[in-house]
Amino acid sequence: MAALRGRLVDLELDGVVITTPENIRYLSGFSGSLGYLIIGRTDAEILGDSRYWLQMEAEAPGFTLVRSGPSHGLWALVAERLKALGLRVGFESQHLTFDQHQRLLAALPGEHTLVAIAGLVEELRIVKTPEEIELLRAVAAIAGRAFDRVRGAIRPGLRERDIAFLLEQTFRELGADGPAFETIVAAGERGALPHGRASDRVLERGDMVVVDFGATAAGYHSDTTRTIVVGEPSTEQARVIEAVRQAQLASMELMKPGVAADAVDRRAREVLAGEAHAFGHGLGHGIGLQVHERPFLSPTDHTALRAGMVITNEPGIYIPGWGGVRLEEMVLITENGPQVLTAASWEIGVG
Ligand code: ZN
Ligand code: ZN
């Protein structure tokens, strides 16, 4: 809140309305699906309808609860509270819909200005607090233990969707709230689809399988990918997996304070320069209250890495008609270099 208020002063804003659920949770602790924060230079209010009053009082004790009537009265109330803060107020243009913006504008008198502040809170979320790092470490550990447990059950005859179901069930058994995203299980030629959702395809001996999985708890997410082979890996499968691993290790070495995000991405592509089907997606993404958040290890993100950032590293090779390999770790940037938060068996052969 202190950092956000510093930004309000820099931007000459009297206050902001925060509408993005992850940003509301980050600033206030409120985890419900509908509510708004009105934050001024000194005031902090949370607005909600009767479904959330008890939850808001319990989760957001630092905010004054402003009770609205039925949910359709919320926009008039948002305008009224913003008016009380001053003439220049910010809104999250990356989240508010055009329709909501129009309604808010109509409810504010003409002398008030609505200023777009896209990404202001996301900017604060880039560097994680020690508490957030512990939550990310814990949720990554749950996912890794679940993978190691399910790994032993993978055998020919199972469908991709059976593996996804077993993983997601195990996340919950181990204390997570559920999967962080739709679990990806892509076997054989389907592995060439970087985001192949788990299908009815039945696993056969010799299939290489990309498994991209994550758990969520307390609002935080994990994201890990392993590529395994049902039975003994062929020479070519082992070669491609090793090539991707080398790209990951070489680029991970650069994940330290001061290095630009795009330089890490470039390093992985250099290692795979001899491969005809190296990955076309970004090398990685920040992770926290959202699965994909800033910074991005991609050619267009020049953010300098800082200690406390948590970013994935996920190079791949996707060969149409043959299959794919992706390996993904969550990496904490520290003053002493990269620290891998994810844990899951690296053994390739299963079943
Ligand atoms: Zn992933
Ligand atoms: Zn990822």
Side-chain angles (χ1 to χ4, degrees):
M1 288 292 284
L4 176 62
R5 287 197 164 114
R7 298 292 290 134
L8 296 189
V9 173
D10 296 342
L11 297 168
E12 297 176 348
L13 291 171
D14 298 307
V16 283
V17 54
I18 302 295
T19 54
T20 309
E22 292 84 2
N23 291 343
I24 289 172
R25 187 168 193 161
Y26 183 70
L27 294 167
S28 75
F30 174 62
S31 64
S33 56
L34 187 68
Y36 302 108
L37 302 183
I38 303 286
I39 299 170
R41 301 255 183 126
T42 53
D43 317 20
E45 297 176 340
I46 185 162
L47 278 51
D49 66 69
S50 60
R51 292 171 298 170
Y52 294 111
W53 291 343
L54 289 176
Q55 190 182 347
M56 284 174 169
E57 280 175 334
E59 292 183 340
F63 284 68
T64 306
L65 174 61
V66 179
R67 296 174 167 84
S68 88
S71 58
H72 59 78
L74 266 171
W75 286 107
L77 188 61
V78 168
E80 187 191 306
R81 303 311 303 157
L82 283 176
K83 252 188 307 190
L85 293 180
L87 291 177
R88 259 175 73 83
V89 287
F91 72 101
E92 297 193 286
S93 51
Q94 86 286 2
H95 180 260
L96 211 66
T97 66
F98 182 71
D99 185 56
Q100 290 168 332
H101 177 261
Q102 295 296 324
R103 273 193 271 169
L104 188 54
L105 205 56
L108 279 173
E111 70 270 26
H112 288 261
T113 315
L114 274 177
V115 180
I117 54 149
L120 194 68
V121 180
E122 284 82 352
E123 173 83 35
L124 304 176
R125 282 171 35 199
I126 281 190
V127 172
K128 270 63 186 176
T129 64
E131 292 78 11
E132 290 185 288
I133 290 167
E134 285 321 302
L135 286 168
L136 288 166
R137 197 189 296 279
V139 76
I142 287 174
R145 279 163 55 209
F147 179 80
D148 288 351
R149 198 184 277 187
V150 169
R151 207 183 156 281
I154 299 176
R155 58 182 187 280
L158 277 189
R159 296 172 306 168
E160 291 172 349
R161 65 168 76 237
D162 296 325
I163 298 169
F165 173 75
L166 288 170
L167 275 171
E168 292 172 8
Q169 182 184 39
T170 312
F171 293 159
R172 287 181 186 272
E173 282 172 10
L174 295 177
D177 295 330
F181 50 87
E182 202 174 352
T183 304
I184 292 169
V185 182
E189 72 294 337
R190 293 193 73 255
L193 303 163
H195 271 188
R197 52 151 55 121
S199 75
D200 284 326
R201 190 187 182 290
V202 174
L203 265 56
E204 293 165 22
R205 194 154 291 282
D207 275 345
M208 194 162 62
V209 190
V210 177
V211 187
D212 189 342
F213 56 97
T216 182
Y220 285 80
H221 302 86
S222 77
D223 191 4
T224 311
T225 307
R226 289 290 182 267
T227 299
I228 53 181
V229 174
V230 184
E232 279 297 303
S234 71
T235 312
E236 182 62 359
Q237 286 169 338
R239 187 195 72 78
V240 177
I241 292 172
E242 181 57 23
V244 173
R245 181 65 174 149
Q246 289 308 318
Q248 186 179 51
L249 290 173
S251 56
M252 211 184 275
E253 259 178 47
L254 291 183
M255 296 179 74
K256 52 191 180 190
V259 178
D262 58 314
V264 184
D265 176 272
R266 197 158 51 242
R267 184 78 190 102
R269 288 178 211 284
E270 280 164 9
V271 174
L272 296 179
E275 300 284 340
H277 301 282
F279 64 113
H281 54 74
L283 177 65
H285 51 87
I287 183 164
L289 285 167
Q290 284 170 301
V291 179
H292 299 103
E293 57 184 47
R294 294 183 55 198
F296 293 92
L297 301 182
S298 85
T300 53
D301 191 333
H302 311 304
T303 306
L305 301 187
R306 281 188 276 163
M309 290 179 171
V310 177
I311 310 170
T312 68
N313 181 310
E314 48 182 308
I317 292 178
Y318 307 98
I319 304 172
W322 184 74
V325 172
R326 182 169 61 257
L327 304 172
E328 179 177 21
E329 302 285 24
M330 285 164 65
V331 179
L332 168 66
I333 313 295
T334 79
E335 295 294 347
N336 304 318
Q339 193 184 104
V340 174
L341 298 186
T342 28
S345 169
W346 270 101
E347 210 182 319
I348 295 169
V350 299

